[in-house]
Amino acid sequence: MIPDRPWADTILDEAVISAQRGDIGPAIAALAASRGDPETRSLRVEALSRALIGASRFIEAQLAYDQGNPDLWLWLGRTRLEEAWELRPDVRARAVQADRLHAYQSAMEGARQPLLAAAGLASGDPVPWECLMWLAVGLDRPRADKDAVWHECSRRWPSLYSAAVVRLITLSPGWGGSAQETLAFARSAAAHAPEGSPLPALVPLAHFEITAAGRAPMSRGGWFPFEAQRDIVSAAGHWSERRFGGAHPRSIEAHNAFGAAFFLADLRRPARAHLSRTDGRFSRLPWSHLGDPAQQYRRACARLNL
């Protein structure tokens, strides 16, 4: 089992390991190589930012010598976002965590300038705008602000999977949206997905978001009614991994989404089919809705004899 690395990208694997050891050279090269490929770029900056949580100073030091590098500004902004999320107080306890809430909001704001710098240096790149979508969600900005940032991102790359996931979360009941908006967005994105795109996986993710918003604590039983199961089965049938240039960078995440949904629905054959294609690599979503992602993924694979 390979925790928190839901990709088939050996360059990224090596860059993450090096970054965790304090060597950011391979990461800089990996980000530079992703220019012009938003799907790969989005995945790499997300993974490399999580690898450097608490050590964003390494990027700041490099920026002192390379102020015009959009990769470094993007990486710094996303790393500060990830660092801020680590400070986010529990919603139910915010009244007694005023200091922590202030620290979280200040950390979030610290990501804005680097992301705007990245957007300015690479005007056609949608990934800084995807990160700004997370910033708008994290700071609970008004819906008009969230819509405006989504517009900037989607007009640059309409089918960016990671941006669509942020938009889905923005529309979900747990973040101030509604079940109707969430499902409508997921179904529309799935119906208009380019060949090979994993956007149909938004459908099971939407059902996870909707169901999780209405239940506590999480449990395996009774997650999805029949209508939801039928919706997920239909979406899975519309996803083909065939894609010019090889598998989509987010394919393993999509297999996790479908595999988890089918496992909870006790549809063992499709659950096995999808989880067997994850190669032991699990994603945070949707397993985190059930508890610890590693534990939940391991349990599902064990019960499916994988």
Side-chain angles (χ1 to χ4, degrees), residues 172-261:
S172 68
W175 292 87
S178 68
Q180 293 75 18
E181 284 183 296
T182 308
L183 284 175
F185 174 75
R187 289 165 178 162
S188 176
H192 297 95
E195 184 175 3
S197 170
L199 283 171
L202 292 179
V203 173
L205 289 179
H207 284 289
F208 269 106
E209 290 292 331
I210 292 165
T211 305
R215 57 186 298 151
M218 304 303 164
S219 63
R220 180 167 178 258
W223 260 82
F224 304 125
F226 177 73
E227 290 298 323
Q229 294 180 33
R230 187 169 63 179
D231 205 17
I232 295 166
V233 168
S234 175
H238 283 94
W239 178 35
S240 169
E241 284 192 88
R242 289 176 298 182
R243 176 176 178 264
F244 179 76
H248 192 282
R250 300 279 183 169
S251 288
I252 289 178
E253 289 184 41
H255 282 303
N256 271 273
F258 280 116

Side-chain angles (χ1 to χ4, degrees), residues 7-216:
W7 58 73
D9 184 338
T10 55
I11 292 174
L12 181 55
D13 276 330
E14 294 168 4
V16 165
I17 292 170
S18 296
Q20 289 172 335
R21 294 172 177 169
D23 177 10
I24 66 172
I28 294 172
L31 289 174
S34 72
R35 295 182 186 179
D37 182 355
E39 298 286 0
T40 298
R41 187 170 180 79
S42 171
L43 173 63
R44 287 183 177 180
V45 76
E46 176 186 313
L48 291 167
S49 296
R50 290 176 177 175
L52 220 60
I53 288 175
S56 55
R57 64 188 181 279
F58 289 118
I59 312 173
E60 294 169 359
Q62 187 66 30
L63 266 168
Y65 302 98
D66 196 0
Q67 288 280 316
N69 189 330
D71 306 331
L72 292 175
W73 286 114
L74 174 62
W75 191 14
L76 177 60
R78 182 59 189 255
T79 302
R80 287 181 176 177
L81 273 181
E82 297 295 337
E83 290 174 338
W85 281 114
E86 295 292 308
L87 300 174
R88 184 171 183 263
D90 189 299
V91 174
R92 293 164 297 182
R94 282 187 180 178
V96 295
Q97 295 188 26
D99 291 342
R100 187 175 176 88
L101 178 59
H102 177 72
Y104 162 72
Q105 292 173 335
S106 296
M108 272 279 170
E109 283 292 350
R112 188 184 304 278
Q113 186 274 331
L115 293 175
L116 291 175
L121 289 166
S123 60
D125 187 0
V127 182
W129 294 99
E130 174 210 332
C131 297
L132 286 164
M133 290 173 65
W134 279 117
L135 182 65
V137 170
L139 291 175
D140 196 21
R141 298 297 300 160
R143 176 63 180 271
D145 290 359
K146 297 174 183 176
D147 292 349
V149 183
W150 162 243
H151 172 73
E152 292 295 334
C153 183
S154 60
R155 75 181 181 87
R156 287 169 170 80
W157 199 266
S159 59
L160 185 59
Y161 178 80
S162 49
V165 171
V166 191
R167 182 61 174 172
L168 184 81
I169 291 171
T170 302
L171 299 174
S172 68
W175 292 87
S178 68
Q180 293 75 18
E181 284 183 296
T182 308
L183 284 175
F185 174 75
R187 289 165 178 162
S188 176
H192 297 95
E195 184 175 3
S197 170
L199 283 171
L202 292 179
V203 173
L205 289 179
H207 284 289
F208 269 106
E209 290 292 331
I210 292 165
T211 305
R215 57 186 298 151

Side-chain angles (χ1 to χ4, degrees), residues 284-295:
R284 296 185 184 184
L285 286 176
W287 299 105
S288 58
H289 286 304
L290 298 168
D292 177 73
Q295 183 181 8

